[in-house]
């Protein structure tokens, strides 16, 4: 039996898909017998129930009067080194290059080479931050100093290579969802709170950052709702929310749009939808499209970044060029007016989510990366995902 590992995980614990993936991965690794130490500034929001193999170490920032900006990064690096030493961690797995991979590098300098580091790139750490000349060299250093680097799509691997001239290997490890949580939930009674029986539900879930193009979501919905009875459910909140609320009012759509705010039980909420709208400008993966897919909900979206690696155009959704709201609306109408086609897409979604983005096999991919960097020759079981 392969040695069980002691793994430190650092991520952004309170927001975003990267935090969700990091936390879910930690939980799955703990179930497989590894000891998981989350080293973050607050308790990861998806952590949930107590597990004997999961520990949380809070990073407290020193705020001496001489500091104009309290040095979170240094506190994190010190905490990583301290936890690694006290708990005898085998490795640190950090999600997001800045500052986490840089802090892991510092921690390794403090501990010595015995501590290995794995960095997972999630998107904006490369697609946005690596465009900033003042951060480029720092990100390149963090990547080169990691014992292994993974990225959540082929597109992100290419972007990393192009923007940073990285030649060292980067492992592709797609995101996943826990199939015990993400499956089509019974949603008939919830649906009736928002839509009449003859109305279709279109949904968008995001952090309402400009990159999500929520304005396009509204444009698509307006075109769809002119042709078929429909409601739009907007889930989440963020910087563009007020602007979107005004747009909806100006377009006279307020009776047909519901704002649900941030929601914990995404699987339950998504199960109400007939289609998910994801017209993003940039998306290294698009975790929410996978969450929808696992609940049997097809995506209408853009072909940006890694989305085409996840959503198969014409099988599990329809993808168009960024900003082509006309075509996206046509795609939605096609699906929402043809029950047989919709059922076929739903079936394809369920199969693809379970088979290609299965939590068991992706957790095993991470495990094999850990054993590789530690030089452990482990024979791992290979899960067959139906
Ligand atoms: O999309 C966001 O705004 C949040 C961001 C994050 O840092 O969590 O998401 C990134 O990582 C997710 C998990 O790997 C991916 O599913 C998202 O596509 C990616 N976002 C972007 O590339 C814009």
């Amino acid at each position: 039996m392969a040695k069980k590992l002691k793994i430190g995980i650092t991520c952004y614990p309170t927001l975003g898909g990267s935090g969700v993936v990091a936390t879910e991965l930690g939980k799955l690794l703990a179930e497989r017998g590894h000891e998981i130490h989350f080293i973050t500034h607050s308790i990861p929001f998806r952590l949930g129930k107590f597990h004997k193999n999961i520990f949380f170490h809070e990073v407290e920032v020193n705020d001496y009067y001489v500091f104009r900006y309290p040095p979170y990064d240094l506190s994190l690096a010190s905490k990583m080194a301290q936890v690694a030493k006290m708990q005898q961690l085998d490795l640190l797995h950090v999600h997001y290059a800045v500052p986490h991979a840089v802090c892991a590098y510092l921690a390794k300098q403090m501990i010595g080479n015995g501590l290995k580091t794995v960095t997972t790139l999630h998107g904006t750490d490369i697609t946005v931050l690596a465009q900033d000349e003042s951060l480029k060299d720092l990100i390149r250093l963090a990547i080169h100093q990691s014992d292994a680097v993974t990225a959540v799509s082929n597109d992100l691997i290419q972007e990393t290579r192009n923007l940073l001239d990285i030649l060292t290997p980067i492992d592709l490890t797609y995101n996943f969802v826990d199939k015990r949580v993400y499956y089509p939930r019974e949603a008939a009674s919830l649906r009736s709170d928002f839509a009449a029986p003859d109305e279709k539900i279109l949904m968008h879930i995001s952090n309402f950052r400009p990159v999500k193009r929520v304005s396009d979501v509204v444009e698509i919905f307006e075109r769809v709702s002119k042709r078929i009875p429909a409601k739009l459910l907007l889930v989440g909140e963020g910087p563009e929310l007020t602007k979107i609320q005004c747009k909806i009012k100006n377009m006279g759509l307020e009776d047909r749009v519901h704002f649900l705010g941030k929601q914990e039980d995404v699987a339950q909420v998504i199960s109400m939808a007939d289609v998910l709208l994801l017209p993003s400008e940039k998306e290294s993966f698009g975790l929410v499209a996978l969450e929808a897919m696992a609940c049997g909900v097809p995506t209408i979206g853009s072909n940006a970044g890694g989305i085409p690696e996840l959503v198969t155009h014409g099988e599990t959704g329809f993808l168009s060029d960024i900003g082509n709201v006309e075509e996206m609306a046509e795609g939605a109408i096609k699906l929402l007016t043809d029950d047989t086609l919709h059922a076929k897409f739903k079936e394809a979604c369920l199969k693809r989510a379970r088979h290609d983005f299965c939590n068991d096999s992706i957790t095993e991919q991470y495990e094999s990366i850990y054993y590789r960097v530690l030089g452990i020759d482990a024979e791992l079981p290979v899960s067959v995902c139906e």
Side-chain angles (χ1 to χ4, degrees), residues 12 15-22 95-96 120-125 127-128 151-153 156 173-175 206-209 211-212 278 280-289 305-307 310:
Y12 287 110
L15 44 117
S18 59
V20 171
V21 169
H95 295 256
Y96 226 83
T120 293
L121 306 174
H122 281 275
T124 37
D125 43 357
T127 54
V128 177
V152 298
S153 63
L156 185 56
T173 41
Y174 281 127
N175 287 333
S206 79
N207 51 18
F208 286 67
R209 288 195 299 133
V211 78
K212 303 293 174 183
L278 188 66
S280 307
E281 180 91 37
K282 264 272 153 251
E283 205 69 72
S284 68
F285 184 83
L287 184 63
V288 69
I307 298 179
L310 168 63

Side-chain angles (χ1 to χ4, degrees), residues 175-180 182 287 290-291 294 353 357-359:
N175 287 333
F176 60 88
V177 286
D178 189 334
K179 58 178 180 276
R180 297 165 300 184
Y182 286 87
L287 184 63
L290 176 57
E291 292 173 329
F357 303 97
C358 155
N359 49 302

Side-chain angles (χ1 to χ4, degrees), residues 303-325:
N303 49 22
I307 298 179
E309 293 174 53
L310 168 63
V311 178
T312 315
H313 177 71
E315 280 179 29
T316 62
F318 287 118
L319 302 181
S320 306
D321 289 342
I322 299 162
N324 192 344
V325 291

Side-chain angles (χ1 to χ4, degrees), residues 189-196 199 201 231 233 258 260 272:
S189 69
L190 280 181
R191 264 185 83 103
S192 63
D193 286 339
F194 300 102
E199 284 178 324
I201 294 184
K231 288 280 168 60
L233 269 51
H258 295 275
L260 274 61
M272 281 192 279

Side-chain angles (χ1 to χ4, degrees), residues 5-303:
L5 304 177
K6 292 185 173 202
I7 304 165
I9 294 184
T10 294
C11 61
Y12 287 110
T14 49
L15 44 117
S18 59
V20 171
V21 169
T23 311
E24 296 296 337
L25 176 63
K27 284 157 60 175
L28 291 165
L29 289 165
E31 281 180 31
R32 295 166 84 90
H34 302 291
E35 196 175 290
I36 303 301
H37 295 264
F38 284 97
I39 309 167
T40 46
H41 60 69
S42 39
I43 198 150
F45 72 109
R46 283 280 182 95
L47 205 51
K49 286 190 295 209
F50 168 81
H51 192 289
K52 68 178 169 56
N53 288 347
I54 297 181
F55 302 86
F56 165 59
H57 307 271
E58 188 174 3
V59 180
E60 279 165 304
V61 181
N62 295 326
D63 192 6
Y64 297 124
Y65 69 98
V66 287
F67 294 145
R68 181 157 177 206
Y69 304 107
Y72 168 71
D73 308 352
L74 299 182
S75 301
L76 174 60
S78 302
K79 191 77 180 184
M80 282 172 164
Q82 195 190 332
V83 174
K85 208 170 182 175
M86 295 287 288
Q87 306 294 336
Q88 297 183 314
L89 298 185
D90 294 296
L91 61 91
L92 288 171
H93 184 176
V94 296
H95 295 256
Y96 226 83
V98 179
H100 301 155
V102 181
C103 298
Y105 169 58
L106 275 178
K108 190 152 83 171
Q109 295 300 303
M110 287 182 253
I111 294 292
N113 227 5
L115 180 67
K116 300 294 177 192
T117 59
V118 176
T119 298
T120 293
L121 306 174
H122 281 275
T124 37
D125 43 357
I126 298 301
T127 54
V128 177
L129 299 182
Q131 313 254 13
D132 183 335
E133 288 300 324
S134 67
L135 289 175
K136 231 176 188 165
D137 288 344
L138 186 66
I139 301 174
R140 194 182 292 112
L141 172 85
I143 290 178
H144 279 143
Q145 293 300 329
S146 299
D147 295 290
V149 179
T150 79
V152 298
S153 63
N154 272 312
D155 183 78
L156 185 56
I157 294 179
Q158 273 323 312
E159 283 251 29
T160 309
R161 297 210 180 289
N162 296 343
L163 283 166
L164 294 165
D165 303 320
I166 301 277
L167 299 174
T168 46
I170 301 176
D171 289 287
L172 170 67
T173 41
Y174 281 127
N175 287 333
F176 60 88
V177 286
D178 189 334
K179 58 178 180 276
R180 297 165 300 184
V181 179
Y182 286 87
Y183 58 87
R185 306 278 191 88
E186 174 48 51
S189 69
L190 280 181
R191 264 185 83 103
S192 63
D193 286 339
F194 300 102
D198 66 328
E199 284 178 324
K200 299 294 181 188
I201 294 184
L202 293 86
M203 188 177 284
H204 172 76
I205 306 183
S206 79
N207 51 18
F208 286 67
R209 288 195 299 133
V211 78
K212 303 293 174 183
R213 294 183 72 102
V214 189
S215 187
D216 283 5
V217 168
V218 181
E219 295 288 340
I220 298 165
F221 175 70
E222 193 212 18
R223 286 161 176 77
V224 172
S225 69
K226 274 186 183 151
R227 302 257 294 274
I228 54 175
K231 288 280 168 60
L232 174 65
L233 269 51
L234 293 172
V235 185
E237 55 183 43
E240 299 257 285
L241 183 58
T242 315
K243 190 176 127 191
I244 295 302
Q245 281 166 331
C246 291
K247 183 176 172 95
I248 286 166
K249 200 154 185 255
N250 293 339
M251 290 169 89
L253 293 171
E254 63 266 51
D255 294 345
R256 278 171 277 166
V257 182
H258 295 275
F259 289 89
L260 274 61
K262 281 190 183 172
Q263 292 291 330
E264 281 275 305
D265 193 350
V266 176
Q268 180 64 73
V269 172
I270 263 182
S271 294
M272 281 192 279
D274 294 300
V275 294
L276 177 87
L277 301 178
L278 188 66
S280 307
E281 180 91 37
K282 264 272 153 251
E283 205 69 72
S284 68
F285 184 83
L287 184 63
V288 69
L290 176 57
E291 292 173 329
M293 193 191 284
C295 295
V297 179
T299 291
I300 304 292
S302 66
N303 49 22

